[in-house]
Amino acid sequence: MVTLQPTARMGWDTISAVVARILAAYPVYSILLSILSILALSAGLVNIRLEPDIRKSFSPEDSDAGYETRVWLEYYGLKIYPERAFCIFTAKSENGSILQEEALRDIYTVDNRLVQAVGLRDGDGRRNCDPLCDLNSPFHLLANQTRKNNGTTAVFTYPDMPYSGLDIFLGLHFSNVDFKPPTHRISSRSLVLWYFSRSDTPEGKLAFKDAIDELFDLSKNSSAFENVEFTIFSDQVANREMIRGAIEATTLMTIGFFLLLTQVIIVIKRLSSIKMTAYLVATSLLTPMAATIASFGAICWMGFPSFSIQCVTPFLVLGIGVDDAFILLHRWKHHIAISDTPRRLEQVIVDVGPSITITSLTNIIAFGIGFFTPTPQMSLFCLTASLALLLDYIFTYTILAPIVFLCNDPTYQSVPKDETISKADTWLAKYSRFVCSLRGRIVCIFVLIGMYGLTTYGVMTMRTTFEPAKAFPSNSKLVDSLSNIKPVFNRYFPITVIVNNPPNISNEIEYDSFHNMMNRLENVPGIRGDNRSLIFLPQYEAYDKLANSFSILLGDKYRPSYDSLPNWMDAIGNPPLVKYHLDEKNKTVVTSFRLTLLGKGMSEWAERARAMQHIRTVLREEQQFNATLFDCDSAILSIILTVGTDLIGSIAVTVVCMAIVCFVFIANFNAVAVITSIIASICYVLVGGLSLWGADLDPVIQVDVLLATGFSVDYTAHVAYNYFRARGSPQERVYSSLAEMAMPMCEAGLSTFLCMLPLIFVPTYAIVCFAKTVFLVVAIGLLHGLFILPVVLALFSRNSIDEKDAPPPAAITLAADQPLVDKNLDAV
């Protein structure tokens, strides 16, 4: 048998009573002090800063990805990560080729516009694209050679094109290639061109932005070019498209606000007099809104940036915040028979204080734990929501409760029922009897079997991955760009490795050790082997051997060295392949160099993430070379592989915190065990439900489920807390708890549903996924809270509590002034 510990009950009742007496004595001062606090915190909004860098929204500075980016920037002599863009051209004709003259003219129209932008020089004469101006040289060499041969090229092999003694790699530019070895002719339906632009000069940044914006608008016109279709992707456009998705979400959620407003008006009109309805509606809505504004201000005072996903925070807090208002107003009306207004407020706070505190603390903790997720935008979203919910909890007492107290209408009388009816004649009594019956338990078992069966299937089939397209509206042209780049990444995907402690190639042991590392890297799953990596050493060795051919003819044994490196670099145009200098003895000293591993099948981000992790492992084990990999998207890739274990760990920590909070208020191990089990059940069913609804296991789902863990307590704590406070048989206690909480819970669930409903129409995966999570947790939570939990509570509470003090089982007066549960609180 589970019971509420009297000491815990009286302790929290006493605290609630003291708070109520203070609020009743100084209601105006409480409201004014709260308003001053809101204004002080909100003043921080003058420092609001929207983070424009999409990479920073996924990876913190102290992560592996952050370190690898700093090494990459240092190698190229950059201080700020450059803007990147790529254009994908596809021949419109099924049998067409982008190497035909007509297609090349269209391609050069786009290429020349971007080359002009990135070729802008700063005050030091440095081009905006330096040191990455030659990324598209392989294409330009091929195009020029094709034009010289009247549209055909028959002098090279694919994917390497011999040119001036070098092998030029073409695989990073072409896909859907048709290469005919007998004739050595090549055609390709698709082409990718890559562009980088430094972000350290305002003029260069603006020039690149203007070119990108112009071409992005042009890409939306399918008839812009006669022979090719093209799409473009850039960091600037990606940031803008993410903001566009946030604006669309905010616009649609305004509709949700009016739906919520309608519901709040209807509910409060039933609970108060007409002349006070407007004040109570305004306070119920403005309290969570003010808490959200103050929370954003506090975040700005702390120096944190804001991310686009935080646009849903006001509506989220609003949907949650009105729940407490519903509960408080229901109890205010319930105690209408108490004519002494301060005593009535005390009774209401004593009744609802602990359960509101439980649910508020659990939501605050759940979002607070989300702050420690590795994704900065999700972390700050959780921190903002956690602070907003904390402030809303405080303002519920310091603003809402005093205004309810001041708006008391002595002339208002609720309409009582004229007749006293038997419990057995009410639907709630029949439902309570069903819940406690054998038939109800059997139905509950079948519901659980079916639900857990579907959930397990969903969990087992859930994919662990993340697609960047999920961050943008589905109607964005960026989604097409990311889809079109997949064939290139499936064929050849570049993974840069910076070697900061190069081997001494004259030392045979050291050079062999380096070759051993390269062999290990090329044997990583997903990485092309057979010396397919792009590294300068083999071609340089051929040049060095040729430079030393005379001594070799004289019988000297060839030993590679870096002595010929300056001449070789001059001969090939000094690309940023190697960093070197001459020492005091005029010897060439190589300080670092770049190599590129080529992956295959890398359009699937989970495969990329696994390959990155394997490469990191090899490089750490071969630490003598101080090598570091770099991938433009490593900020996202680094969190994909751990999202499953992070999700389980986060849920476990959150559930434990929920259990501790519940134990503080209920102080009964059996009761807390039941509540914790129900919370875990809701979370498990939620994950499976999201999978069945099309969601993947990714960082977005990780945070959504974590937040839903806090929501799940709302649908268990209220019913459980009131069940343990009630007296009588299990059936009477089920009836009492549902009579008090079923309607407020349904109203709360409906308010959250209405507020989030418009989000389902936002064409952005991250936002839609959040809406799905809310819908599912509301439905699953209500099922558990109104059916499964009462069945479990009644099953493990066979004995009656204080049966002699319980109301007569035969009948109950349903007038508004008749307490549904005799709590005997006069002693407080």
Side-chain angles (χ1 to χ4, degrees), residues 37 50 111 118-119 157 179 210 263 394 412 452 481 589 641 658 735 786 816 828:
S37 301
L50 186 64
D111 181 56
V118 300
T157 58
F179 177 65
D210 290 343
Q263 188 216 359
I394 295 172
Y412 172 70
Y452 288 153
S481 300
V589 178
L641 294 181
M658 307 298 104
Y735 176 88
L786 299 180
V828 177

Side-chain angles (χ1 to χ4, degrees), residues 374-692:
T375 310
Q377 67 167 340
M378 291 298 183
S379 175
L380 282 178
F381 167 69
C382 291
L383 178 61
T384 307
S386 182
L387 284 176
L389 290 172
L390 173 61
L391 293 172
D392 179 61
Y393 169 68
I394 295 172
F395 296 155
T396 297
Y397 282 97
T398 61
I399 297 179
L400 179 60
I403 287 183
V404 170
F405 173 80
L406 294 173
C407 289
N408 179 55
D409 185 359
T411 64
Y412 172 70
Q413 294 290 331
S414 62
V415 181
K417 300 283 184 180
D418 293 332
E419 69 279 2
T420 300
I421 58 176
S422 171
K423 283 186 181 180
D425 294 332
T426 68
W427 68 268
L428 186 56
K430 292 178 181 178
Y431 179 72
S432 301
R433 187 166 59 247
F434 167 75
V435 165
C436 299
S437 67
L438 177 61
R439 185 177 57 174
R441 294 166 189 166
I442 293 174
V443 171
C444 182
I445 291 173
F446 279 106
V447 168
L448 289 174
I449 291 174
M451 185 169 61
Y452 288 153
L454 289 173
T455 297
T456 302
Y457 173 77
V459 170
M460 297 299 293
T461 57
M462 200 172 198
R463 293 193 315 153
T464 302
T465 187
F466 183 78
E467 296 288 343
K470 294 177 179 179
F472 312 119
S474 58
N475 56 4
S476 172
K477 289 293 290 184
L478 294 183
V479 176
D480 295 335
S481 300
L482 293 169
S483 176
N484 292 339
I485 198 70
K486 285 185 175 182
V488 177
F489 286 174
N490 276 332
R491 183 81 174 170
Y492 297 107
F493 179 80
I495 302 170
T496 301
V497 175
I498 306 295
V499 181
N500 284 307
N501 187 25
N504 179 3
I505 60 176
S506 299
N507 186 317
E508 187 174 350
I509 296 177
E510 196 170 329
Y511 203 12
D512 287 344
S513 178
F514 179 78
H515 283 305
N516 178 65
M517 183 186 76
M518 290 301 303
N519 184 59
R520 292 185 62 190
L521 290 173
E522 291 186 341
N523 278 284
V524 167
I527 301 300
R528 291 184 177 275
D530 299 326
N531 298 315
R532 182 63 275 182
S533 300
L534 306 180
I535 182 171
F536 81 97
L537 286 171
Q539 297 188 56
Y540 167 71
E541 277 192 57
Y543 178 88
D544 185 51
K545 187 176 292 186
L546 182 63
N548 291 278
S549 57
F550 182 72
S551 60
I552 295 174
L553 287 174
L554 293 177
D556 293 340
K557 182 180 179 181
Y558 171 70
R559 176 177 291 180
S561 73
Y562 291 127
D563 293 341
S564 303
L565 184 62
N567 293 331
W568 182 73
M569 291 291 290
D570 289 338
I572 64 174
N574 288 297
L577 296 175
V578 189
K579 293 176 70 175
Y580 67 93
H581 66 271
L582 299 178
D583 63 11
E584 61 277 3
K585 297 180 180 180
N586 207 33
K587 283 288 196 179
T588 303
V589 178
V590 176
T591 56
S592 59
F593 65 80
R594 181 196 76 193
L595 65 90
T596 302
L597 303 173
L598 293 177
K600 55 184 177 181
M602 292 294 178
S603 65
E604 176 58 50
W605 280 56
E607 294 300 323
R608 282 177 64 186
R610 281 187 279 270
M612 298 300 116
Q613 194 59 34
H614 284 140
I615 292 171
R616 283 193 183 100
T617 300
V618 172
L619 296 181
R620 288 188 184 116
E621 292 174 355
E622 302 285 350
Q623 55 185 335
Q624 69 270 26
F625 300 111
N626 190 20
T628 306
L629 74 82
F630 174 75
D631 186 294
C632 293
D633 302 305
S634 58
I636 305 174
L637 297 171
S638 60
I639 59 179
I640 288 179
L641 294 181
T642 61
V643 67
T645 54
D646 288 347
L647 176 62
I648 295 173
S650 298
I651 290 177
V653 171
T654 307
V655 170
V656 170
C657 292
M658 307 298 104
I660 293 173
V661 171
C662 292
F663 182 77
V664 169
F665 286 88
I666 299 177
N668 183 286
F669 286 108
N670 294 334
V672 172
V674 170
I675 295 175
T676 305
S677 299
I678 294 296
I679 294 173
S681 175
I682 293 174
C683 293
Y684 180 61
V685 175
L686 174 64
V687 174
L690 286 170
S691 174
L692 294 174

Side-chain angles (χ1 to χ4, degrees), residues 206-252:
L206 180 61
F208 190 62
K209 176 183 179 300
D210 290 343
I212 291 295
D213 289 346
E214 176 186 327
L215 294 174
F216 184 69
D217 291 336
L218 186 64
S219 71
K220 298 176 183 178
N221 182 7
S222 59
S223 59
F225 297 108
E226 182 178 350
N227 301 288
V228 299
E229 293 179 351
F230 90 99
T231 55
I232 185 171
F233 179 96
S234 81
D235 293 333
Q236 292 180 349
V237 175
N239 293 330
R240 191 168 68 244
E241 289 296 282
M242 288 182 66
I243 293 173
R244 179 172 74 85
I247 293 173
E248 288 180 357
T250 305
T251 303
L252 284 173

Side-chain angles (χ1 to χ4, degrees), residues 58-80:
F58 286 102
S59 179
E61 290 290 331
D62 58 351
S63 65
D64 285 341
Y67 169 74
E68 291 160 0
T69 300
R70 290 193 296 274
V71 171
W72 186 85
L73 291 174
E74 182 181 355
Y75 177 81
Y76 285 109
L78 301 172
K79 295 181 179 180
I80 303 174

